[in-house]
Amino acid sequence: MASLTNLFPGQVLAVFYEDDTFWHERLVLWRLSDKVWYILTPDGDLYPENLACEGGDGPNRVKVKGIDFKYWSRVGGRSYRFAKPLDSDAELRKFIKQAYKEAEAVPGFEAEWRPSHIVDVKGALQSSETFLSSLLVTHRMHGKGPGLRAGGGVEMEVIASDDGAASVRAICLPGPSKVWVVTEQMDGHMIGEMAMVDPAKDLMIGPHTGLIKVPSGWMKAELVESTEAPDFIEARRPTTSAASLPAPHASEGADEGSADARTLLVDYDNHGIRYKEWRSVAHESKEYGYPDWPHEGLHRMVEMAGDLGDQCCAQVLAAGSSPQESKKSKKMTLEKADLRAELMKPPSSSAPSLQTLASQLRAPTREDEASDDSSSTTEAKDKKGQRQATYKAKGLK
């Protein structure tokens, strides 16, 4: 496996325990020591685990996804994985902060340690300063400048720049001609919405950048003129048009959830047995396009998956009925189709009235069923008589 010294928060691991038969997926969150890292499991458990493969309670084999293996189908055996990957970087930040807070209570924890990079939910490597921002900044800050106490009794020491001007302080209210605008999507807040600030707990960096305290960390906001707010919001609003999405490539055909365009996520039934309903197969299937695709024509596999499910349901329903019921149902279907075709024809003087045709589109009565049964009985007797005549002509009994 890759060296533990090269691990980054956000990386995905596959770990194997000596007394188990499955590989288990783990999400790396934060380092507690050289050998122990806080991890997140598919069941939502968050705890420190020794990844040095030394036995004991820790795993005896560890692989790093993207380095030791690329697809889970190549990990070397069956695997127990996350049913759904993390939705956003904000969710990853939330778990990293939770791990950091738990680690602070452990003796010997290096609270000042920071990784050089962090792997985001899309698998891209980001600078630790860019990704974390002020996520792990506490209310008490040490630096130059006089101390001040923000509203609510939270004590802070202001960080000052070289020229003596304070760069971090309690946030200010916007005033009559300015507004605070959210510049990142976080904890239900959308980019471009007007932010409500609280000087008792929110911070301000420089002349117009604010950090607003939210449940999962610090949300960034900008102080702008009210008249310039619409243009400011429009310039930073994320686009979701199809033209802005990158074209898929052969090496990137699979999404992060399945990691392989040929496979779907593994599902289990209530008894823990691997099972996936066909409806889920049709729903989760996607179409991928590749620049070097050798075949021409339209892609129909997803459409065929849905049609196949409908056909299977129809066959199951037909198999559950008796032969007589199936015959009656087929006869009624044909009769109704013929009558509907008659209704669609242009009216003529010799054609029956709509009321006459519509009255025939009714559910069968007991008399109709008795007539069908008697017809079937007569038909069966005729066939039996023909067989007996044939046997007699050949001298058979």
Side-chain angles (χ1 to χ4, degrees):
M1 63 157 285
S3 173
L4 289 178
T5 59
N6 297 326
L7 280 183
F8 298 118
Q11 281 187 305
V12 175
L13 305 179
V15 301
F16 192 90
Y17 300 92
E18 187 175 4
D19 58 347
D20 204 345
T21 59
F22 281 80
W23 286 89
H24 294 261
E25 185 176 6
R26 298 288 185 261
L27 180 64
V28 178
L29 296 177
W30 203 257
R31 192 192 76 163
L32 181 62
S33 65
D34 292 338
K35 299 179 181 180
V36 181
W37 286 73
Y38 273 89
I39 53 91
L40 182 69
T41 73
D43 298 323
D45 298 324
L46 189 153
Y47 56 84
E49 187 165 54
N50 190 325
L51 302 177
C53 301
E54 297 176 343
D57 295 333
N60 61 348
R61 282 186 283 173
V62 178
K63 295 183 179 181
V64 181
K65 188 174 183 294
I67 298 178
D68 300 310
F69 69 99
K70 186 175 181 180
Y71 301 123
W72 282 98
S73 57
R74 304 292 184 267
V75 74
R78 296 181 297 175
S79 58
Y80 183 72
R81 301 170 48 202
F82 284 85
K84 182 181 178 183
L86 298 187
D87 294 329
S88 63
D89 289 338
E91 192 174 5
L92 176 58
R93 291 189 187 97
K94 180 185 69 174
F95 285 118
I96 289 178
K97 183 175 182 180
Q98 181 180 347
Y100 183 87
K101 292 298 183 184
E102 291 189 13
E104 284 184 318
V106 179
F109 171 64
E110 299 178 15
E112 301 301 324
W113 176 86
R114 296 292 184 273
S116 59
H117 294 83
I118 290 180
V119 180
D120 62 18
V121 295
K122 296 181 180 179
L125 204 61
Q126 293 194 22
S127 168
S128 175
E129 295 180 357
T130 302
F131 187 87
L132 294 177
S133 183
S134 57
L135 178 68
L136 305 181
V137 175
T138 57
H139 281 286
R140 183 175 181 85
M141 303 179 184
H142 301 279
K144 302 177 182 179
L148 62 86
R149 184 177 298 273
V154 179
E155 182 179 356
M156 296 185 295
E157 291 181 3
V158 179
I159 300 176
S161 60
D162 294 336
D163 59 2
S167 59
V168 178
R169 59 190 184 278
I171 202 167
C172 68
L173 297 177
S177 62
K178 295 185 178 183
V179 292
W180 283 102
V181 180
V182 176
T183 58
E184 63 178 341
Q185 188 170 330
M186 195 171 183
D187 283 10
H189 297 278
M190 305 301 294
I191 296 177
E193 72 177 41
M194 305 303 172
M196 301 296 294
V197 298
D198 184 0
K201 60 180 181 178
D202 301 332
L203 302 176
M204 188 170 181
I205 304 175
H208 51 73
T209 302
L211 297 175
I212 300 175
K213 189 70 176 69
V214 293
S216 63
W218 296 87
M219 180 178 65
K220 188 178 179 181
E222 293 288 331
L223 183 64
V224 298
E225 295 286 343
S226 301
T227 55
E228 301 175 358
D231 295 336
F232 179 87
I233 295 171
E234 189 63 29
R236 287 159 177 78
R237 191 181 302 278
T239 176
T240 57
S241 62
S244 64
L245 298 177
H249 301 285
S251 60
E252 300 175 357
D255 58 10
E256 185 63 23
S258 64
D260 193 337
R262 302 167 297 177
T263 61
L264 298 175
L265 293 175
V266 177
D267 292 343
Y268 297 89
D269 61 14
N270 294 334
H271 303 284
I273 300 174
R274 184 169 172 171
Y275 173 76
K276 183 182 287 289
E277 293 183 350
W278 186 260
R279 180 181 299 177
S280 300
V281 173
H283 178 71
E284 296 177 12
S285 298
K286 299 179 181 178
E287 291 183 359
Y288 295 94
Y290 302 93
D292 57 348
W293 187 252
H295 306 292
E296 298 181 357
L298 300 177
H299 298 176
R300 294 294 188 187
M301 288 306 301
V302 175
E303 181 179 349
M304 290 175 60
D307 293 342
L308 183 60
D310 295 338
Q311 293 176 12
C312 290
C313 292
Q315 292 177 5
V316 170
L317 293 176
S321 58
S322 64
Q324 289 187 354
E325 290 175 345
S326 299
K327 183 177 179 180
K328 292 177 183 178
S329 176
K330 184 176 181 180
K331 181 180 179 181
M332 288 179 57
T333 302
L334 294 175
E335 290 177 351
K336 291 185 177 181
D338 293 339
L339 289 173
R340 289 192 177 92
E342 291 291 336
L343 289 172
M344 296 300 294
K345 292 182 179 180
S348 62
S349 58
S350 60
S353 63
L354 295 178
Q355 291 79 2
T356 302
L357 292 173
S359 63
Q360 299 178 29
L361 291 174
R362 57 181 177 80
T365 61
R366 293 187 176 180
E367 290 77 5
D368 296 332
E369 294 179 355
S371 176
D372 290 340
D373 293 340
S374 62
S375 299
S376 300
T377 303
T378 303
E379 183 179 354
K381 290 181 179 179
D382 293 340
K383 289 183 178 179
K384 183 177 180 181
Q386 292 175 2
R387 287 196 301 272
Q388 291 177 350
T390 302
Y391 296 155
K392 185 176 182 180
K394 293 183 179 180
L396 302 175
K397 294 183 179 180

